Amino acid sequence: MRIHALTTGTVRVKRAFLYASGGWRRRLDLFLPGPWSSPLPIHCWAVEHAGGLLLVDTGETADAHNIPFARFDVASGQQLPGALARAGLTLADVDTVVLTHLHADHMDGAVHVGGPVLVHDRELAYSRTLAARLAQRVVRQPVPANVDFQAFALDGGPFGAFAQSRPLSDDGRIVAVAAAGHTPGHVAVLCIDDDGRHALLAGDATDTLEQLHALRPDAVAPKPAVSVATMQTILAHGREHPTVYLPSHDPESVARLQAGTTL
Ligand SMILES: [Zn+2]
C-alpha cells in the first residue's frame, strides 16, 4: 500500500475558525474582521492498494469562491488532474472515490471524476436539507452538479475505537469510520499499511494535530461536543493502534506521512 498526498492549492482561514471562542461569539466571529492564518494546504489522498487506486476527497477547483472566513488560492494546474499527475497518476487509474464530507474544498474536484463518488448517507442527506442548501447559497458553495454521488451506510460495525465503519477495500485494510462533528456525517478513512501501522485520513475532523490534542472544536462544527467526542475516539484509537494522523489542512501532514510519525 502506498498513500500519496495530493495538494490542490491552499486556503487561508480566519484565526477565529482555528481558535474558536466559546459561546455565542463562536460563529459570529467568522463574519467579523479579524486576522488570517498563513496559507494551509488543501490535501486529498490517493491510496494505491492491492485492489486498485482509491481517492479520498477531490480537493478544490480554480474557480472557488472566497467566503467570509476562507480565501482560496488554486491555480488551474493544481486541480485534481494536475495534482494526480505530480504523483505519477491519472484519473483513469482511479477505481473508487470517497469524500470525507461535503465542503467545497473536499468535493469541488469531483467535477473531474467521471464515475461514482461515494458519500456517507447521513452527510448526503444533510446537504439536501433546507438549512444546508440556504448555507450553500449564502457562501456560494453549492454541491457540484453532474456528479454521480452515491450514498453509503456505515453498516460494517465498530472498527478499533470507532463505533461505526464500512470497509472500502475487499481485504478490509481500508475502512471508512464515523468521525462526525465538523459536519453531521463527516467520515475519516483508516488505512492499514503493509507494516500494520494505521494511517487516518482525517478530513477536517480537526485542522491540525495540535487541535486534536487540545480537543478544540473549530468554529463551524454544528455541535462542538460531537467534534470533541470524535477527537477523543481518534486519540483512543491511537492508543490501541499506532496511527499516523493526517488532517487535510495540516501543514505537517506530509512530513508526518513520510516519517510515519504516529500519535
Ligand atoms: Zn470542511
Side-chain angles (χ1 to χ4, degrees):
M1 179 183 294
R2 183 171 175 201
I3 299 173
H4 301 267
L6 312 178
T7 310
T8 61
T10 58
V11 60
R12 293 195 298 141
V13 295
K14 270 201 190 133
R15 187 179 161 82
F17 179 95
L18 299 171
Y19 297 90
S21 51
W24 62 274
R25 288 198 55 152
R26 188 172 68 99
R27 281 182 155 168
L28 177 64
D29 282 347
L30 291 173
F31 296 90
L32 300 177
W36 291 78
S37 74
S38 50
L40 306 174
I42 304 170
H43 289 313
C44 50
W45 311 91
V47 184
E48 285 185 82
H49 62 106
L53 185 66
L54 169 74
L55 198 57
V56 179
D57 287 334
T58 57
E60 188 49 280
T61 50
D63 58 1
H65 293 295
N66 291 332
I67 60 176
F69 48 89
R71 294 173 179 167
F72 300 96
D73 184 0
V74 185
S76 55
Q78 293 176 308
Q79 302 178 114
L80 183 62
L84 280 165
R86 272 188 294 285
L89 302 166
T90 72
L91 278 162
D93 301 324
V94 175
D95 297 290
T96 309
V97 183
V98 64
L99 300 184
T100 57
H101 66 298
L102 292 174
H103 278 166
D105 52 329
H106 299 257
M107 70 178 170
D108 279 351
V111 295
H112 299 289
V113 176
V117 174
L118 304 177
V119 182
H120 182 201
D121 53 8
R122 187 156 177 221
E123 183 77 358
L124 197 58
Y126 176 75
S127 77
R128 290 169 176 167
T129 61
L130 183 60
R133 282 186 287 131
L134 275 173
Q136 289 157 13
R137 185 168 295 190
V138 166
V139 297
R140 296 189 298 158
Q141 290 197 333
V143 175
N146 305 318
V147 175
D148 181 15
F149 291 112
Q150 292 194 1
F152 69 88
L154 290 174
D155 54 6
F159 192 90
F162 296 92
Q164 297 175 294
S165 73
R166 180 183 183 101
L168 295 173
S169 65
D170 290 341
D171 62 6
R173 286 170 56 187
I174 306 177
V175 184
V177 293
H182 176 72
T183 60
H186 187 285
V187 300
V189 176
L190 256 178
C191 303
I192 303 174
D193 73 14
D194 299 339
D195 300 321
R197 191 168 42 203
H198 291 201
L200 186 66
L201 308 177
D204 291 355
T206 68
D207 289 293
T208 62
L209 177 60
E210 181 272 333
Q211 191 190 345
L212 175 71
H213 285 304
L215 297 176
R216 189 180 65 244
D218 65 32
V220 300
K223 294 179 181 172
V226 177
S227 260
V228 172
T230 286
M231 294 178 209
Q232 288 168 328
T233 297
I234 292 167
L235 290 168
H237 189 86
R239 286 192 290 273
E240 284 176 43
H241 308 277
T243 298
V244 183
Y245 184 65
L246 302 170
S248 302
H249 305 297
D250 189 339
E252 303 297 322
S253 280
V254 171
R256 213 175 292 132
L257 172 64
Q258 286 169 352
T261 313
T262 54
L263 286 172

